[in-house]
Short mmCIF file of all heavy atoms in Angstrom, two decimals:
data_model
loop_
_atom_site.label_atom_id
_atom_site.label_comp_id
_atom_site.label_asym_id
_atom_site.label_seq_id
_atom_site.Cartn_x
_atom_site.Cartn_y
_atom_site.Cartn_z
N GLU A 391 -212.62 181.31 167.57
CA GLU A 391 -212.19 180.08 168.26
C GLU A 391 -213.19 179.63 169.32
O GLU A 391 -213.49 178.45 169.46
CB GLU A 391 -210.81 180.34 168.89
CG GLU A 391 -210.23 179.20 169.71
CD GLU A 391 -209.77 177.99 168.90
OE1 GLU A 391 -209.48 178.18 167.70
OE2 GLU A 391 -209.72 176.89 169.46
N TYR A 395 -217.45 175.39 167.12
CA TYR A 395 -218.34 174.27 166.83
C TYR A 395 -219.82 174.60 167.02
O TYR A 395 -220.66 173.74 166.94
CB TYR A 395 -217.97 173.09 167.73
CG TYR A 395 -216.52 172.68 167.61
CD1 TYR A 395 -215.62 172.86 168.66
CD2 TYR A 395 -216.06 172.11 166.43
CE1 TYR A 395 -214.30 172.48 168.53
CE2 TYR A 395 -214.74 171.73 166.29
CZ TYR A 395 -213.86 171.92 167.34
OH TYR A 395 -212.55 171.54 167.21
N GLN A 661 -199.26 182.24 188.16
CA GLN A 661 -197.95 182.04 188.78
C GLN A 661 -198.00 181.96 190.32
O GLN A 661 -197.35 181.11 190.91
CB GLN A 661 -196.99 183.13 188.29
CG GLN A 661 -195.54 182.68 188.26
CD GLN A 661 -194.83 183.00 189.54
OE1 GLN A 661 -195.11 184.02 190.15
NE2 GLN A 661 -193.95 182.12 189.98
N ASP A 680 -224.24 159.11 163.87
CA ASP A 680 -224.43 160.45 163.32
C ASP A 680 -224.17 161.53 164.37
O ASP A 680 -224.29 162.70 164.10
CB ASP A 680 -225.86 160.60 162.79
CG ASP A 680 -226.08 159.69 161.59
OD1 ASP A 680 -225.18 159.66 160.73
OD2 ASP A 680 -227.12 159.04 161.53
N ASN A 682 -221.87 163.76 166.96
CA ASN A 682 -220.51 164.32 166.93
C ASN A 682 -220.13 164.84 168.30
O ASN A 682 -220.93 165.48 168.96
CB ASN A 682 -220.45 165.52 165.97
CG ASN A 682 -220.63 165.09 164.55
OD1 ASN A 682 -219.77 164.44 163.98
ND2 ASN A 682 -221.77 165.44 163.98
N ILE A 683 -218.91 164.58 168.67
CA ILE A 683 -218.43 165.18 169.91
C ILE A 683 -217.13 165.94 169.63
O ILE A 683 -216.24 165.42 168.98
CB ILE A 683 -218.26 164.13 171.04
CG1 ILE A 683 -217.63 164.74 172.29
CG2 ILE A 683 -217.43 162.92 170.60
CD1 ILE A 683 -218.54 165.61 173.07
N THR A 685 -214.29 167.85 171.72
CA THR A 685 -213.87 168.17 173.08
C THR A 685 -212.46 168.73 173.10
O THR A 685 -211.61 168.35 172.32
CB THR A 685 -214.04 166.96 174.03
OG1 THR A 685 -213.31 167.19 175.21
CG2 THR A 685 -213.53 165.68 173.39
N PRO A 687 -210.08 169.72 176.19
CA PRO A 687 -209.69 170.00 177.57
C PRO A 687 -208.36 170.74 177.55
O PRO A 687 -207.44 170.32 176.89
CB PRO A 687 -209.54 168.62 178.18
CG PRO A 687 -209.30 167.69 177.04
CD PRO A 687 -209.72 168.37 175.78
N GLN A 688 -208.29 171.81 178.25
CA GLN A 688 -207.15 172.71 178.05
C GLN A 688 -206.52 173.09 179.38
O GLN A 688 -207.22 173.42 180.32
CB GLN A 688 -207.70 173.96 177.36
CG GLN A 688 -206.73 174.78 176.62
CD GLN A 688 -207.44 175.90 175.89
OE1 GLN A 688 -208.58 175.74 175.44
NE2 GLN A 688 -206.81 177.03 175.80
N LEU A 689 -205.21 173.02 179.44
CA LEU A 689 -204.51 173.44 180.66
C LEU A 689 -203.55 174.57 180.31
O LEU A 689 -202.83 174.48 179.33
CB LEU A 689 -203.68 172.29 181.22
CG LEU A 689 -204.35 171.05 181.81
CD1 LEU A 689 -203.30 170.03 182.19
CD2 LEU A 689 -205.19 171.41 183.01
N ILE A 691 -200.67 176.48 182.46
CA ILE A 691 -200.08 176.45 183.78
C ILE A 691 -198.82 177.30 183.87
O ILE A 691 -197.89 177.14 183.08
CB ILE A 691 -199.81 174.99 184.19
CG1 ILE A 691 -201.16 174.30 184.33
CG2 ILE A 691 -199.05 174.91 185.50
CD1 ILE A 691 -201.11 172.84 184.28
N CYS A 698 -201.71 168.91 188.10
CA CYS A 698 -202.85 169.15 187.24
C CYS A 698 -202.97 168.01 186.26
O CYS A 698 -201.98 167.49 185.78
CB CYS A 698 -202.67 170.44 186.44
SG CYS A 698 -202.60 171.87 187.48
N SER A 699 -204.18 167.64 185.96
CA SER A 699 -204.34 166.62 184.94
C SER A 699 -205.65 166.85 184.22
O SER A 699 -206.56 167.50 184.74
CB SER A 699 -204.34 165.23 185.57
OG SER A 699 -205.51 165.03 186.30
N HIS A 700 -205.73 166.39 183.03
CA HIS A 700 -207.02 166.37 182.36
C HIS A 700 -207.10 165.12 181.50
O HIS A 700 -206.10 164.52 181.13
CB HIS A 700 -207.28 167.63 181.55
CG HIS A 700 -206.41 167.80 180.35
ND1 HIS A 700 -206.18 169.01 179.78
CD2 HIS A 700 -205.72 166.92 179.64
CE1 HIS A 700 -205.38 168.84 178.76
NE2 HIS A 700 -205.08 167.58 178.64
N GLY A 701 -208.30 164.71 181.25
CA GLY A 701 -208.47 163.53 180.42
C GLY A 701 -209.75 163.67 179.63
O GLY A 701 -210.67 164.38 180.02
N ALA A 702 -209.80 163.02 178.48
CA ALA A 702 -211.01 163.02 177.68
C ALA A 702 -211.12 161.67 177.01
O ALA A 702 -210.13 161.13 176.55
CB ALA A 702 -210.96 164.13 176.64
N THR A 703 -212.31 161.12 176.99
CA THR A 703 -212.49 159.84 176.30
C THR A 703 -213.77 159.88 175.50
O THR A 703 -214.66 160.69 175.74
CB THR A 703 -212.62 158.67 177.30
OG1 THR A 703 -213.75 158.92 178.14
CG2 THR A 703 -211.39 158.49 178.16
N SER A 704 -213.82 159.02 174.54
CA SER A 704 -215.04 158.87 173.75
C SER A 704 -215.09 157.43 173.25
O SER A 704 -214.11 156.91 172.75
CB SER A 704 -215.00 159.83 172.57
OG SER A 704 -215.81 159.35 171.54
N GLN A 706 -218.13 153.86 172.47
CA GLN A 706 -219.48 153.34 172.65
C GLN A 706 -219.45 152.35 173.81
O GLN A 706 -218.44 152.19 174.47
CB GLN A 706 -219.99 152.72 171.37
CG GLN A 706 -219.12 151.57 170.87
CD GLN A 706 -219.61 151.02 169.57
OE1 GLN A 706 -220.61 151.49 169.04
NE2 GLN A 706 -218.92 150.05 169.04
N ARG B 1531 -216.64 160.08 160.04
CA ARG B 1531 -217.83 159.27 160.23
C ARG B 1531 -217.61 157.84 159.78
O ARG B 1531 -218.17 156.91 160.33
CB ARG B 1531 -218.98 159.91 159.46
CG ARG B 1531 -220.27 159.74 160.16
CD ARG B 1531 -221.38 160.50 159.49
NE ARG B 1531 -222.55 159.66 159.58
CZ ARG B 1531 -223.07 159.04 158.56
NH1 ARG B 1531 -222.54 159.16 157.37
NH2 ARG B 1531 -224.14 158.29 158.72
N GLY B 1548 -188.80 175.28 187.64
CA GLY B 1548 -188.72 176.71 187.89
C GLY B 1548 -190.10 177.32 187.87
O GLY B 1548 -191.01 176.80 187.23
N ASP B 1549 -190.27 178.42 188.60
CA ASP B 1549 -191.61 178.98 188.74
C ASP B 1549 -191.90 180.12 187.77
O ASP B 1549 -192.87 180.82 187.90
CB ASP B 1549 -191.85 179.43 190.19
CG ASP B 1549 -190.79 180.38 190.67
OD1 ASP B 1549 -189.93 180.77 189.84
OD2 ASP B 1549 -190.80 180.74 191.86
N GLY B 1552 -194.00 178.18 181.81
CA GLY B 1552 -195.39 177.77 181.66
C GLY B 1552 -195.51 176.52 180.81
O GLY B 1552 -194.70 176.28 179.92
N ALA B 1553 -196.51 175.70 181.12
CA ALA B 1553 -196.78 174.51 180.32
C ALA B 1553 -198.26 174.50 179.99
O ALA B 1553 -199.09 174.71 180.86
CB ALA B 1553 -196.41 173.25 181.10
N HIS B 1554 -198.57 174.31 178.73
CA HIS B 1554 -199.96 174.43 178.30
C HIS B 1554 -200.34 173.25 177.40
O HIS B 1554 -199.51 172.74 176.67
CB HIS B 1554 -200.17 175.73 177.54
CG HIS B 1554 -199.47 176.89 178.17
ND1 HIS B 1554 -199.87 177.41 179.38
CD2 HIS B 1554 -198.36 177.57 177.82
CE1 HIS B 1554 -199.05 178.39 179.73
NE2 HIS B 1554 -198.12 178.50 178.79
N THR B 1555 -201.59 172.86 177.47
CA THR B 1555 -202.05 171.81 176.56
C THR B 1555 -203.35 172.24 175.90
O THR B 1555 -204.26 172.73 176.56
CB THR B 1555 -202.32 170.48 177.30
OG1 THR B 1555 -202.63 170.77 178.67
CG2 THR B 1555 -201.15 169.56 177.24
N PHE B 1556 -203.39 172.07 174.61
CA PHE B 1556 -204.59 172.42 173.83
C PHE B 1556 -204.97 171.22 172.95
O PHE B 1556 -204.72 171.23 171.76
CB PHE B 1556 -204.33 173.62 172.92
CG PHE B 1556 -203.80 174.83 173.62
CD1 PHE B 1556 -202.43 175.00 173.80
CD2 PHE B 1556 -204.66 175.82 174.06
CE1 PHE B 1556 -201.94 176.14 174.43
CE2 PHE B 1556 -204.17 176.96 174.69
CZ PHE B 1556 -202.82 177.12 174.88
N PRO B 1557 -205.54 170.19 173.53
CA PRO B 1557 -205.92 169.06 172.69
C PRO B 1557 -207.32 169.26 172.11
O PRO B 1557 -208.23 169.68 172.82
CB PRO B 1557 -205.90 167.88 173.67
CG PRO B 1557 -206.10 168.48 175.00
CD PRO B 1557 -205.83 169.94 174.94
N TYR B 1558 -207.48 168.97 170.84
CA TYR B 1558 -208.80 169.03 170.21
C TYR B 1558 -209.20 167.60 169.85
O TYR B 1558 -208.43 166.90 169.20
CB TYR B 1558 -208.76 169.82 168.91
CG TYR B 1558 -208.51 171.31 169.06
CD1 TYR B 1558 -207.25 171.77 169.40
CD2 TYR B 1558 -209.51 172.23 168.80
CE1 TYR B 1558 -207.00 173.12 169.52
CE2 TYR B 1558 -209.27 173.60 168.92
CZ TYR B 1558 -208.02 174.03 169.28
OH TYR B 1558 -207.78 175.38 169.39
N LEU B 1559 -210.36 167.17 170.29
CA LEU B 1559 -210.86 165.86 169.90
C LEU B 1559 -212.16 166.06 169.15
O LEU B 1559 -213.09 166.65 169.68
CB LEU B 1559 -211.10 164.96 171.12
CG LEU B 1559 -209.98 164.84 172.17
CD1 LEU B 1559 -210.43 163.95 173.32
CD2 LEU B 1559 -208.74 164.28 171.55
N GLU B 1560 -212.22 165.59 167.92
CA GLU B 1560 -213.44 165.74 167.13
C GLU B 1560 -213.85 164.36 166.65
O GLU B 1560 -213.19 163.77 165.80
CB GLU B 1560 -213.19 166.67 165.94
CG GLU B 1560 -212.65 168.02 166.37
CD GLU B 1560 -212.49 168.99 165.21
OE1 GLU B 1560 -212.82 168.63 164.07
OE2 GLU B 1560 -212.03 170.11 165.46
N ILE B 1561 -214.92 163.84 167.21
CA ILE B 1561 -215.26 162.45 166.94
C ILE B 1561 -216.65 162.32 166.35
O ILE B 1561 -217.62 162.82 166.91
CB ILE B 1561 -215.15 161.63 168.24
CG1 ILE B 1561 -213.69 161.63 168.68
CG2 ILE B 1561 -215.59 160.19 168.03
CD1 ILE B 1561 -213.49 162.01 170.07
N SER B 1562 -216.73 161.68 165.20
CA SER B 1562 -218.01 161.54 164.53
C SER B 1562 -218.34 160.09 164.26
O SER B 1562 -219.16 159.79 163.42
CB SER B 1562 -218.00 162.31 163.21
OG SER B 1562 -217.51 163.59 163.41
N ASN B 1564 -219.22 156.34 166.24
CA ASN B 1564 -219.47 155.82 167.59
C ASN B 1564 -218.76 154.52 167.88
O ASN B 1564 -218.69 154.10 169.02
CB ASN B 1564 -220.97 155.72 167.86
CG ASN B 1564 -221.60 154.62 167.06
OD1 ASN B 1564 -221.10 154.28 165.99
ND2 ASN B 1564 -222.67 154.06 167.56
N LYS B 1567 -212.79 154.53 169.57
CA LYS B 1567 -212.42 154.72 170.97
C LYS B 1567 -211.31 155.75 171.02
O LYS B 1567 -210.28 155.58 170.39
CB LYS B 1567 -211.92 153.41 171.55
CG LYS B 1567 -212.90 152.76 172.48
CD LYS B 1567 -212.25 151.57 173.15
CE LYS B 1567 -213.21 150.40 173.13
NZ LYS B 1567 -212.58 149.19 173.60
N VAL B 1568 -211.54 156.80 171.76
CA VAL B 1568 -210.55 157.85 171.84
C VAL B 1568 -210.26 158.16 173.30
O VAL B 1568 -211.17 158.32 174.09
CB VAL B 1568 -211.04 159.13 171.12
CG1 VAL B 1568 -210.05 160.24 171.26
CG2 VAL B 1568 -211.31 158.85 169.66
N HIS B 1570 -207.72 160.49 175.88
CA HIS B 1570 -206.69 161.53 175.99
C HIS B 1570 -206.41 161.76 177.46
O HIS B 1570 -207.33 161.84 178.26
CB HIS B 1570 -207.18 162.83 175.36
CG HIS B 1570 -206.28 163.97 175.63
ND1 HIS B 1570 -205.29 164.32 174.76
CD2 HIS B 1570 -206.18 164.80 176.67
CE1 HIS B 1570 -204.60 165.32 175.29
NE2 HIS B 1570 -205.14 165.64 176.44
N ALA B 1572 -203.63 163.99 180.19
CA ALA B 1572 -202.50 164.90 180.31
C ALA B 1572 -202.25 165.18 181.77
O ALA B 1572 -203.18 165.26 182.57
CB ALA B 1572 -202.78 166.19 179.58
N THR B 1574 -199.57 167.56 184.52
CA THR B 1574 -198.51 168.55 184.68
C THR B 1574 -198.01 168.46 186.11
O THR B 1574 -198.80 168.41 187.04
CB THR B 1574 -199.05 169.97 184.44
OG1 THR B 1574 -199.63 170.00 183.16
CG2 THR B 1574 -197.94 170.99 184.51
#
Side-chain angles (χ1 to χ4, degrees):
Chain A
E391 177 72 23
Y395 304 111
Q661 209 268 325
D680 294 316
N682 292 291
I683 175 74
T685 165
Q688 202 175 327
L689 293 176
I691 294 161
C698 296
S699 70
H700 68 202
T703 59
S704 155
Q706 59 183 359
Chain B
R1531 214 174 142 252
D1549 54 5
H1554 318 291
T1555 26
F1556 306 88
Y1558 292 72
L1559 310 178
E1560 305 184 1
I1561 295 129
S1562 312
N1564 70 333
K1567 254 188 225 172
V1568 177
H1570 171 93
T1574 304

